Amino acid sequence: MGYGADPVAVLELIEAHAEKGAIVLLGNHDAAARGDDVRGLNAQASVAIAWTRRQLRKRQQVFLRSLPLSVREGDRLFVHASAAVPERWTYVTGPRQAALSIEAADAAVVFCGHVHDQRLYFMSGAGRAMPFRPTPSTPVPMGRQHRWLAIVGSAGQPRDRNAAAAYALADLERERITFFRVGYDFEAAAQKIRRAGLPERLARRLERGM
Amino acid sequence: MVKPQPGAEIDGFRLGDCLHVGSMASIFRLVGSDGELPLVMKIPLLGAGERSANVVSFEQCRTVLGALAQSPHHPTLVAYGDVETTPYLVMEHVAGTRLDEWTKRAPLAAADVARLGHSLALALHEIHRQDVAHLDLKATNILYRNDGTATLVDFGVSCHRHLPDLLAVEFHTPVGNWVTMAPEQIVGERCDPRSDLYALGVLLYELATGKRPFGTPTTVAQLRKRLYALPGPPRALVSGVPPWLQEVILRLLEIDAAKRYQSAAQVAFDLANPGQVAIGARGEQRTPAGALKRLVRRLSARHFAPPPPPPPVNALTPRPVIVVAIAPEETGEPFFEALRAAVRRRASPDLRSRIACISVVPPAATLADDTPTGRHIKQLVSLRRWAKPLGLPEECVTYHVLESNEPVTALLDYAAVNEVEEILLGAGSDAAQVAAKAPCTVTVVRPSAAS
C-alpha cells in the first residue's frame, strides 16, 4: 500500500483475513491513502499515494476507514508506529524511542512496524531498552520478567540489502518469538511498479533491498 | 513456593538430598517411587536484594541451555518452572569428578594437564560452534564424566549470539569469575568465545604450577591488573613444565584476544599433539618480563580496548583444520602445485585455517629393507618441502606421518579425532573411499589441463 502496484489485491487479501478475526492496524500510508492529512511523506511517496487513491474503490475506502491505530489483546499491544502517540507516526529507531513506546504501552509485549528492519527490544532492570537484532528462524524466548517490543519487519520494503520479505510469529503459550525472512517474486513486483508508471526508485528498492 | 528441602514436592517433582548450596542457587537430587532419578533440580535463591540479578541469571541459564543442541558437554535441560512463581530448572544429573579435585593436587604432570585441557577444549568447541560463550569457567563449574568427557555446568552468565543478552546491563561490576576472567570481559565485552580460552589458560596454569596466574582478586583494581600484566612463565615456578605446555598456556593468556588461539579446536589439537606445537619465545621463557617492558605495558593499558569479537559461526567453522593428504608415491609437480593453489584459496588470513599435511606410510615392522625412522623422516621432509612455497606462518601448518597399512582408515580416524573441516587429496585409488566415508568435506584436487 503506497509503495507497490497491487493495493486492491493486497487489501482484498487483508480484508478476507480480517473477516476471519485477524487484527489489522492502520499504517501511515494507509491513512494517507484514505485521505487523512499525513505529514512527513516525501515526494515519491506522495506521487504513489495519489496513484493508489485512484485505484481504490468504495469498498476499500470503507475498509481503510474502519482500521484502528492500535489494538490491545490481553497484555499485548499492537500498533503501527510508537505506542507513545500512535497518530504521530514516530519511528522506533533506537533504544530511546523503544523505551518511550514500551512505557506508554503498559503491556508485556508491543508488536509494531513502521521501521522496516526486524528488531527486538527488552527493558532492562535499569529502565533502559536493550536492542537485539534477531537471527532469522531462531526462536527467542520472551520471558515474563522483562517487557518487550518487537518490530516484526515489513513484507516487501526491506532496508537491509536483503530482498526477502519479513514477518514474525509469536508463540504466546511458549512465550517466544521467531523472526523470519521469506523470498518472493520481487522482480515481478518491480516490473508491475514500472508498468504502472510509479517512481522508478520504488521498483529498484525491491530489487536491491535498499 | 514450597520451601525447598528434602521430601518437598515442586510441580510434581519430589526432592531428594541437597547436593549443593551456593550463593546463587541450591541443587537437589530428584527421587521417584523407585529411588533416585538421574535428575537434579536447581532452585535460585530469590531473597530480598538478590532478586534482580539472580532472576536474570536464572533466565539466561534456562534460555541458553534450552537453545543448545543435546551433547555430553553440558547437562540436558528437562523442565523448568515459571520464573515469577516457582523458578527451577530440572536437568540431567551429571555424575563425575569436578575439576577442583585436580586443582587441589596441582602441580600435575604435563600429560595430565594436557588430557584435562584437551577434554575441556573439546567441550568449549562444542558450545562455541553453536555461538555460545560460557564466560564463567571455574574449577567448580567443570565436571569430568567417567569416560573423561568434560561437561560445563552453570550457564547463568553465558552469552548466546542469537539470543538477547539479558545480562548486558544488569551489573555494574564485571560479571563472571574474577580468577579466570579475560581482560575484555573486565571492560564489558560479553560475546567473545576467546574469553573462554583465556579462562582455560588460567585453569591450565593452575593445574601445571599449583598457582593462579593473577591470584584471587578481591577488588576491581586487582582485577584490572591483567589488562597490562602477563603472568610469570610457568617454568619459573615448576621447572618440569615442558616448553610446549608453557607455549600453549601463555598463548591462551595473551591480553589481546586476537593474539590467543582463535578456536578451542586448535587448543585441543595442540594439547593432543604436543610434538606439533610451534614453540616460540613464550615457550622457552624462564623469567618474568623486565621492569621496563612491564611499565610500557602498564602505560598502554590505560587505553585498553578489546578487539572486536569474531562474527558468529553460523554454518561456517572459524579457523578450520584442513587436511592435505599426500600419498608417499605422489611425485608430480603439477599435482603438487594444484594442491598448493587449493590450499592458498583456503588459507586466507581472516579464516586462519590450520593446514595439517599428512602422509600414511606402512608400519615400520612390515618393511624389510628400509629403516623405520629413515622412511618416516624422508616422508616428513617431503611434506615440508611441499609446503615451503606456500610461505604459511609456522603456527598454521603441521606435518604428520601416520603409520598404517590402511591409509583410508588412518586418514578418516585422524579427521574424526581432530574435528577436521575438509580433506584435500589427489585422485588416487583411495580418493573415492575417503570421500564416501569422511565426516567432513572432501575435495579431490587435479592438476589443471593447462599445466
Side-chain angles (χ1 to χ4, degrees):
Chain A
M1 273 284 295
Y3 292 105
D6 273 319
V8 174
V10 165
L11 281 177
E12 279 173 353
L13 184 69
I14 288 175
E15 208 182 331
H17 280 292
E19 276 164 16
K20 285 185 237 159
I23 293 172
V24 182
L25 299 168
L26 185 74
N28 54 329
H29 283 246
D30 315 312
R34 77 181 186 183
D36 294 9
D37 179 20
V38 174
R39 269 175 278 171
L41 290 181
N42 61 33
Q44 287 162 28
S46 303
V47 170
I49 291 294
W51 179 88
T52 303
R53 290 189 70 176
R54 291 200 296 276
Q55 313 301 311
L56 300 184
R57 285 170 298 232
K58 179 92 181 164
R59 183 185 171 89
Q60 283 101 42
Q61 291 283 1
V62 170
F63 177 65
L64 284 180
R65 267 185 227 115
S66 75
L67 296 181
L69 277 168
S70 68
V71 170
R72 188 175 295 277
E73 191 186 70
D75 55 3
R76 300 170 292 282
L77 184 81
F78 300 83
V79 61
H80 180 71
S82 170
V85 190
E87 63 273 24
R88 271 200 207 146
W89 310 114
T90 310
Y91 290 93
V92 177
T93 48
R96 207 173 58 84
Q97 293 93 337
L100 289 173
S101 183
I102 292 172
E103 293 296 354
D106 187 27
V109 192
V110 184
F111 296 96
C112 67
H114 204 32
V115 169
H116 294 202
D117 290 332
Q118 298 177 319
R119 283 287 186 286
L120 183 64
Y121 291 89
F122 63 94
M123 283 300 261
S124 76
R128 278 171 58 195
M130 301 299 295
F132 170 67
R133 186 195 295 264
T135 304
S137 307
T138 306
V140 178
M142 289 196 294
R144 296 203 143 260
Q145 75 288 5
H146 287 101
R147 283 180 296 160
W148 302 84
L149 181 141
I151 302 179
V152 297
S154 68
Q157 279 291 318
R159 301 284 189 267
D160 61 354
R161 297 177 196 276
N162 175 358
Y167 69 102
L169 290 178
D171 183 337
L172 301 177
E173 212 160 284
R174 294 158 83 179
E175 294 180 348
R176 61 186 204 181
I177 186 167
T178 311
F179 293 81
F180 292 95
R181 296 301 289 268
V182 58
Y184 74 103
D185 191 351
F186 61 84
E187 281 165 340
Q191 278 310 320
K192 280 187 170 180
I193 288 171
R194 292 193 176 100
R195 250 183 274 136
L198 288 163
E200 166 64 17
R201 197 162 160 234
L202 294 176
R204 231 180 302 140
R205 186 166 238 181
L206 291 188
E207 293 162 346
R208 293 184 183 172
M210 200 53 206
Chain B
M1 174 165 176
V2 186
K3 184 173 161 49
Q5 55 188 5
E9 198 172 288
I10 296 171
D11 273 8
F13 295 103
R14 199 144 63 83
L15 303 190
D17 294 341
C18 181
L19 300 179
H20 172 79
V21 184
S23 59
M24 301 283 271
S26 336
I27 295 174
F28 290 85
R29 195 69 194 256
L30 290 182
V31 289
S33 50
D34 297 329
E36 286 192 332
L37 298 172
L39 297 172
V40 294
M41 182 182 277
K42 180 172 175 176
I43 302 170
L45 299 177
L46 300 177
E50 19 191 21
R51 192 167 169 76
S52 168
N54 266 8
V55 167
V56 173
S57 167
F58 171 80
E59 193 65 6
Q60 187 78 0
C61 184
R62 165 178 94 73
T63 304
V64 174
L65 267 186
L68 279 170
Q70 199 170 349
S71 97
H73 298 300
H74 56 80
T76 305
L77 182 66
V78 176
Y80 55 86
D82 188 289
V83 69
E84 305 265 281
T85 54
T86 42
Y88 65 80
L89 302 176
V90 173
M91 296 177 286
E92 167 197 7
H93 175 242
V94 180
T97 313
R98 275 193 340 204
L99 182 60
D100 59 341
E101 289 297 319
W102 276 287
T103 39
K104 272 180 217 156
R105 279 180 264 153
L108 302 182
D112 292 326
V113 178
R115 178 174 51 82
L116 294 166
H118 177 256
S119 296
L120 184 48
L122 289 181
L124 288 173
H125 185 61
E126 177 61 35
I127 65 164
H128 289 173
R129 67 178 177 187
Q130 296 184 58
D131 282 323
V132 172
H134 187 281
L135 304 178
D136 192 21
L137 289 181
K138 53 188 173 191
T140 50
N141 272 349
I142 298 155
L143 289 155
Y144 287 86
R145 296 179 194 252
N146 294 335
D147 66 355
T149 310
T151 302
L152 309 168
V153 299
D154 196 351
F155 284 72
V157 179
S158 64
C159 175
H160 192 305
R161 294 290 286 274
H162 304 292
L163 298 176
D165 182 14
L166 302 178
L167 277 82
V169 288
E170 297 292 337
F171 302 92
H172 297 295
T173 47
V175 51
N177 183 269
W178 283 18
V179 172
T180 58
M181 185 175 288
E184 60 273 14
Q185 274 178 276
I186 295 169
V187 296
E189 175 57 64
R190 271 193 41 83
C191 60
D192 196 328
R194 296 173 299 187
S195 302
D196 285 343
L197 299 187
Y198 187 92
L200 173 61
V202 173
L203 294 169
L204 295 186
Y205 190 104
E206 189 176 358
L207 288 172
T209 65
K211 295 248 169 10
R212 293 173 167 178
F214 296 102
T216 309
T218 52
T219 64
V220 173
Q222 287 169 8
L223 181 62
R224 288 179 68 89
K225 190 174 169 211
R226 68 192 70 182
L227 298 188
Y228 53 86
L230 290 174
R235 280 155 66 75
L237 297 168
V238 177
S239 58
V241 173
W244 63 265
L245 182 56
Q246 173 162 308
E247 177 73 32
V248 172
I249 292 173
L250 293 184
R251 191 164 162 204
L252 287 166
L253 290 174
E254 282 286 350
I255 297 165
D256 180 352
K259 289 186 183 160
R260 290 176 211 149
Y261 284 91
Q262 298 301 300
S263 87
Q266 291 190 347
V267 184
F269 184 98
D270 273 4
L271 290 172
N273 302 278
Q276 297 291 339
V277 178
I279 299 164
R282 269 186 300 233
E284 303 287 2
Q285 198 186 341
R286 283 245 180 221
T287 51
L292 183 63
K293 234 179 187 166
R294 290 204 308 262
L295 181 68
V296 170
R297 281 205 208 104
R298 183 164 191 161
L299 292 175
S300 58
R302 285 191 298 185
H303 310 290
F304 178 80
V313 177
N314 285 329
L316 236 179
T317 309
R319 291 91 215 186
V321 177
I322 294 173
V323 161
V324 178
I326 301 180
E329 60 273 18
E330 202 70 71
T331 50
E333 188 51 35
F335 166 69
F336 284 158
E337 192 42 49
L339 205 50
R340 283 185 207 110
V343 168
R344 277 189 202 104
R345 286 195 290 274
R346 288 160 174 82
S348 71
D350 41 311
L351 261 180
R352 295 203 185 89
S353 312
R354 176 118 186 196
I355 310 296
C357 308
I358 299 183
S359 285
V360 186
V361 299
T366 65
L367 294 169
D369 47 349
D370 225 340
T371 61
T373 45
R375 164 115 191 185
H376 201 108
I377 289 168
K378 212 173 92 190
Q379 194 55 34
L380 216 47
V381 168
S382 37
L383 287 178
R384 285 182 186 277
R385 195 183 304 135
W386 171 82
K388 194 153 194 303
L390 288 169
L392 294 168
E394 208 179 331
E395 69 271 16
C396 291
V397 55
T398 56
Y399 308 93
H400 313 262
V401 176
L402 311 176
E403 293 191 356
S404 170
N405 276 323
E406 293 173 40
V408 173
T409 314
L411 210 52
L412 294 177
D413 285 350
Y414 183 93
V417 170
N418 291 291
E419 305 262 357
V420 169
E421 182 81 5
E422 185 178 9
I423 299 174
L424 303 176
L425 78 180
S429 54
D430 294 336
Q433 261 191 313
V434 172
K437 294 182 186 162
C440 61
T441 302
V442 175
T443 301
V444 176
V445 177
R446 290 189 174 86
S448 68
S451 61

